Amino acid sequence: MIEIVPETPALHADAIEDLFDRTFGPGHFAKTAERLREFSASLPYINRVAVEDGKVVGVCRVWPLVVGEARRPALFCGPVAVDPAHRGNFLSLRITEAALEAGKQAGWPAAILIGAHSLFGKAGFVVAPRNKLTFPGPQDQGRVMVRDLAGDASALEGLVTAP
């Protein structure tokens, strides 16, 4: 049985990094999203990990960000990774939804995610209006999505940066 639990870094961090390497390969460090993550720290109390028989089989890491001159706070969801043996049953969606609920309960106003709307739209994400959110590097605007949590994601506008 798969359990979705908050990340405990001492128990999960190495397995999560291994899962990222197996899922995305070394190229994932070159993505624009990594420029945001390298100047921030994920939030283990909001991160969610899927564990089966003590083994990490999925993860959604979440990072604090600020947006625009107003420095509006938002959560940045991702990477989201699932062990290849567990793909096809929407585990990535279930993990992400659990992390979003934790973020909402913690009072975060909104979430940002870069990914496929065909999947993450099922978790309530909508594609942000073109160029409303900009990033510290090139980004496919059709993959930039936002979602309300405890506030209004439509208020997010401008450059997305680490806090």
Side-chain angles (χ1 to χ4, degrees), residues 118-138:
S118 60
L119 175 63
F120 294 105
K122 293 175 174 73
F125 281 94
V126 297
V127 176
R130 193 164 209 59
N131 298 317
K132 187 169 181 182
L133 298 175
T134 56
F135 293 82

Side-chain angles (χ1 to χ4, degrees), residues 13-32:
D14 291 341
I16 289 170
E17 291 305 320
D18 179 60
L19 180 60
F20 288 155
D21 290 345
R22 286 184 291 118
T23 304
F24 302 117
H28 78 94
F29 291 110
K31 294 181 178 182
T32 295

Side-chain angles (χ1 to χ4, degrees), residues 6-16 42 44-45 47 49 54 56 61:
E7 179 184 346
T8 301
L11 293 176
H12 303 127
D14 291 341
I16 289 170
S42 74
Y45 72 102
N47 297 345
V49 180
V56 172
R61 276 218 170 128

Side-chain angles (χ1 to χ4, degrees), residues 16-98:
I16 289 170
E17 291 305 320
D18 179 60
L19 180 60
F20 288 155
D21 290 345
R22 286 184 291 118
T23 304
F24 302 117
H28 78 94
F29 291 110
K31 294 181 178 182
T32 295
E34 286 298 322
R35 302 298 65 81
L36 295 169
R37 293 181 193 115
E38 69 189 2
F39 296 108
S40 188
S42 74
L43 303 170
Y45 72 102
I46 296 177
N47 297 345
R48 289 298 180 261
V49 180
V51 179
E52 182 179 52
D53 298 325
K55 180 182 176 195
V56 172
V57 297
V59 62
C60 175
R61 276 218 170 128
V62 180
W63 311 76
L65 296 175
V66 293
V67 181
E69 290 181 19
R71 299 187 56 79
R72 295 185 188 277
L75 292 177
F76 187 45
C77 296
V80 177
V82 172
D83 184 278
H86 290 82
R87 290 190 186 147
N89 62 4
F90 295 102
L91 182 57
S92 59
L93 191 61
R94 291 183 12 234
I95 298 167
T96 302
E97 287 173 331

